[in-house]
């Protein structure tokens, strides 16, 4: 079981909900067939069975025998919903409001205060509207307050200028470039002043209980 399995984060533009098996056969699987998204996220296309295995490995404990073997999954994953659409339509399904996802990986077992963050706004019509920014801010705040993280890294393809600019606006600084992987690494160290800034930026975000999709729009 993952720490955020029963957590919903409600912002002004996005709602973050845990990644469940119900999200797999919907837009998520269709999104990842896009060659553009594969290029921007450095991802390989997965079969539906592989997507289910990935979701299962995220939801269950790492040593669970219930899930088939798969590659390492994120420590923390939220599906990003369009908050305006989710709240404006009573009874709207999460599937109909899905726009992307945001992830945190603990990649350095010797430094559990470091998290690698990534975000994907897969719906083209939802890009450039601040949804990715709010999703990242909410995840950063969650990482600091709940997971105890104090450092974050983002690895972004060199050609993904919008994502690079977004992270730079969130105080990330470029620390490395890989010509082999054609990506840049940006880092944020959460000092006391950065923590205060982060709290101010996310003061409107509400944490609510989530139980298998039972959370209702406000």
């Amino acid at each position: 079981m993952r720490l955020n399995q029963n957590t919903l984060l409600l912002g002004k533009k996005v709602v973050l909900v845990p990644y469940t098996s119900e999200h797999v056969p919907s837009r998520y699987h269709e999104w990842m067939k896009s060659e553009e998204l594969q290029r921007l996220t450095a991802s390989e296309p997965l079969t539906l069975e592989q997507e289910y295995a990935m979701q299962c490995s995220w939801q269950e404990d790492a040593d669970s025998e219930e899930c088939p073997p798969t590659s390492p999954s994120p420590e923390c994953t939220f599906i990003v919903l369009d908050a305006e659409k989710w709240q404006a339509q009573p009874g709207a399904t999460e599937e109909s409001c899905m726009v992307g996802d945001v992830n945190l990986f603990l990649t350095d077992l010797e430094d559990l205060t470091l998290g690698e963050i990534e975000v994907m706004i897969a719906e083209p019509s939802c890009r450039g509207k601040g949804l990715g920014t709010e999703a990242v801010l909410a995840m950063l705040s969650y990482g600091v307050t709940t997971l105890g993280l104090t450092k974050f890294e983002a690895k972004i393809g060199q050609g993904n200028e919008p994502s690079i600019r977004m992270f730079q606006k969130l105080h990330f600084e470029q620390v490395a470039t890989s010509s082999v992987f054609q990506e840049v690494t940006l880092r944020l160290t959460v000092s006391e002043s950065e923590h205060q800034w982060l709290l101010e930026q996310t003061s409107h975000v509400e944490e609510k209980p989530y139980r298998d999709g039972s959370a209702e729009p406000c």
Side-chain angles (χ1 to χ4, degrees):
M1 179 183 295
R2 296 295 178 173
L3 192 59
N4 69 312
Q5 187 169 323
N6 297 314
T7 300
L8 176 149
L9 301 178
L10 176 62
K12 294 179 180 178
K13 296 184 177 183
V14 300
V15 181
L16 304 186
V17 299
Y19 181 30
T20 74
S21 59
E22 295 179 358
H23 298 126
V24 175
S26 55
R27 294 187 184 182
Y28 196 86
H29 183 62
E30 294 301 316
W31 287 337
M32 298 317 297
K33 293 179 181 178
S34 164
E35 292 184 0
E36 178 191 16
L37 285 178
Q38 291 173 24
R39 176 178 57 82
L40 291 175
T41 61
S43 302
E44 295 292 333
L46 299 177
T47 65
L48 190 57
E49 290 73 19
Q50 289 171 323
E51 290 281 7
Y52 272 118
M54 185 70 75
Q55 189 279 325
C56 183
S57 69
W58 173 81
Q59 187 171 5
E60 301 297 333
D61 292 333
D63 59 354
S64 172
E65 296 179 356
E66 297 180 8
C67 298
T70 185
S71 56
S73 62
E75 180 70 19
C76 185
T77 291
F78 283 105
I79 295 294
V80 181
L81 309 182
D82 182 333
E84 181 179 2
K85 187 174 182 180
W86 188 71
Q87 293 179 305
Q89 301 178 12
T93 65
E94 291 176 4
E95 177 185 349
S96 67
C97 302
M98 287 171 59
V99 299
D101 67 8
V102 60
N103 305 297
L104 266 178
F105 301 85
L106 300 184
T107 56
D108 187 347
L109 296 181
E110 295 183 357
D111 186 358
L112 298 181
T113 65
L114 171 64
E116 181 179 333
I117 188 168
E118 63 179 29
V119 65
M120 174 182 72
I121 301 299
E123 288 292 329
S125 63
C126 294
R127 296 174 190 165
K129 297 182 178 180
L131 278 71
T133 297
E134 187 176 63
V136 170
L137 283 168
M139 183 65 107
L140 292 175
S141 179
Y142 186 80
V144 171
T145 59
T146 304
L147 304 181
L149 303 181
T150 60
K151 300 181 291 291
F152 297 90
E153 286 187 349
K155 296 182 179 180
I156 306 169
Q158 290 177 323
N160 194 349
E161 288 293 336
S163 186
I164 293 173
R165 289 196 298 270
M166 181 195 72
F167 276 96
Q168 289 175 333
K169 288 180 180 179
L170 299 181
H171 301 181
F172 279 70
E173 297 182 353
Q174 185 170 324
V175 295
T177 301
S178 172
S179 57
V180 175
F181 296 105
Q182 296 187 328
E183 67 181 17
V184 298
T185 299
L186 298 96
R187 175 178 280 234
L188 171 68
T189 299
V190 185
S191 61
E192 184 174 341
S193 60
E194 288 287 1
H195 189 196
Q196 183 60 40
W197 175 82
L198 186 58
L199 290 175
E200 293 172 357
Q201 297 300 309
T202 57
S203 61
H204 63 283
V205 177
E206 298 179 59
E207 182 172 330
K208 295 175 174 288
Y210 177 93
R211 297 181 182 86
D212 299 326
S214 61
E216 294 292 337
C218 300

